[in-house]
Amino acid sequence: MQTLDALGAGAGPAPIFAALGDRTRLSLLARLSDGEPRSIAALSADTDLTRQAVTKHLHVLEDVGLVSSIRVGRESRFAYRPEPLAAARSYLDEVSARWDEALARLKSFVEG
Amino acid sequence: MQTLDALGAGAGPAPIFAALGDRTRLSLLARLSDGEPRSIAALSADTDLTRQAVTKHLHVLEDVGLVSSIRVGRESRFAYRPEPLAAARSYLDEVSARWDEALARLKSFVEG
DNA sequence: GACACTCGCAACCAGGAGGTTGCTGATATG
DNA sequence: CATATCAGCAACCTCCTGGTTGCGAGTGTC
């Protein structure tokens, strides 16, 4: 099953998981997943972090395509992007399926 | 939807994603997902990394429960563990569902 | 018992991640 | 125009990460 290595966005799913591997970024994504684009100031509002720290996290998310940004007037709005997360999901599904097949083989071996 | 913050293994899904955010570890997990426990030496065999490097990666995976290890004679066998990956999948499913609902609301607003 | 294999521990290193502060520039608003 | 807001850039810092090497200890084999 080479697809485990083949599929993936760009350099594979690892960078996507890496981007997801941070509480702050997960929180940002969760807030943006309601479809409402938000400015950096808005996203930094109820956080104990600096605006700059939030900005860096948003750039990390943007680098792997999890969010997109457009400049509107003096503020830049960040919006959720579903594609990379779908890729991540399908990768986890593949690994999971591989495991389920292994279980099925084991079961049929024991029974048969 | 507080479940986005509530669920999670231990300190939330972020550490799991962080553990998945590395090509080497993803590769190790993919190989172990066939159900066959393997020794460190076996897992280090067709890698250009040192055995110690592989060991560290395996420990990272073990820390978040993605693999488990048992000592058998002089070698320690690492085996795949499905639970954390299931948690990661369900988290991604939640975010994805949130997004889908947002799309549905937008659609019904435009149409209605 | 001598030897080969498997592993753990510790030290060490370079580089990147997460975060802060300070400053500057652009855009609204009075 | 004066002022406040939003953001980008750069420097700097600390700590973790990924990786290496060296060495010692347990385990199997002849």
Side-chain angles (χ1 to χ4, degrees), chain A residues 85-97:
Chain A
L85 211 130
R89 284 212 295 164
S90 90
Y91 183 86
L92 295 190
D93 285 349
E94 281 190 42
V95 177
S96 212

Side-chain angles (χ1 to χ4, degrees), chain B residues 31-107:
Chain B
R31 287 173 64 198
L32 288 176
S33 66
D34 67 354
E36 278 286 312
R38 288 173 179 82
S39 70
I40 297 180
L43 288 169
S44 311
D46 47 352
T47 307
D48 53 346
L49 294 179
T50 315
R51 172 182 57 88
Q52 290 300 334
V54 174
T55 300
K56 283 192 181 181
H57 283 301
L58 287 172
H59 283 335
V60 172
L61 291 174
E62 191 178 16
D63 282 344
V64 298
L66 279 165
V67 300
S68 64
S69 70
I70 55 170
R71 199 84 199 245
V72 177
R74 66 182 167 187
E75 63 187 15
S76 63
R77 302 237 177 93
F78 284 80
Y80 176 80
R81 280 277 156 179
E83 296 87 358
L85 211 131
R89 285 212 295 164
S90 89
Y91 184 86
L92 295 189
D93 286 349
E94 280 190 41
V95 176
S96 212
R98 193 178 166 86
W99 167 255
D100 289 340
E101 288 166 15
L103 276 194
R105 277 195 302 273
L106 176 63
K107 188 185 173 196

Side-chain angles (χ1 to χ4, degrees), chain A residues 1-91:
Chain A
M1 185 188 269
Q2 305 87 328
T3 58
L4 274 181
D5 281 65
L7 79 74
I16 301 176
F17 288 126
L20 295 174
D22 183 282
R23 289 195 77 81
T24 302
R25 287 196 291 268
L26 274 189
S27 170
L28 288 172
L29 247 180
R31 286 171 67 196
L32 288 176
S33 66
D34 67 354
E36 278 286 312
R38 288 174 178 81
S39 71
I40 297 181
L43 287 169
S44 311
D46 47 353
T47 307
D48 53 346
L49 294 178
T50 315
R51 171 182 57 87
Q52 291 299 335
V54 174
T55 300
K56 283 192 182 180
H57 283 300
L58 286 171
H59 284 335
V60 172
L61 291 174
E62 191 178 16
D63 283 343
V64 298
L66 279 165
V67 301
S68 65
S69 71
I70 55 171
R71 198 84 199 243
V72 177
R74 68 182 164 185
E75 62 187 16
S76 61
R77 302 237 177 90
F78 284 80
Y80 176 82
R81 281 276 155 179
E83 295 86 359
L85 211 130
R89 284 212 295 164
S90 90
Y91 183 86

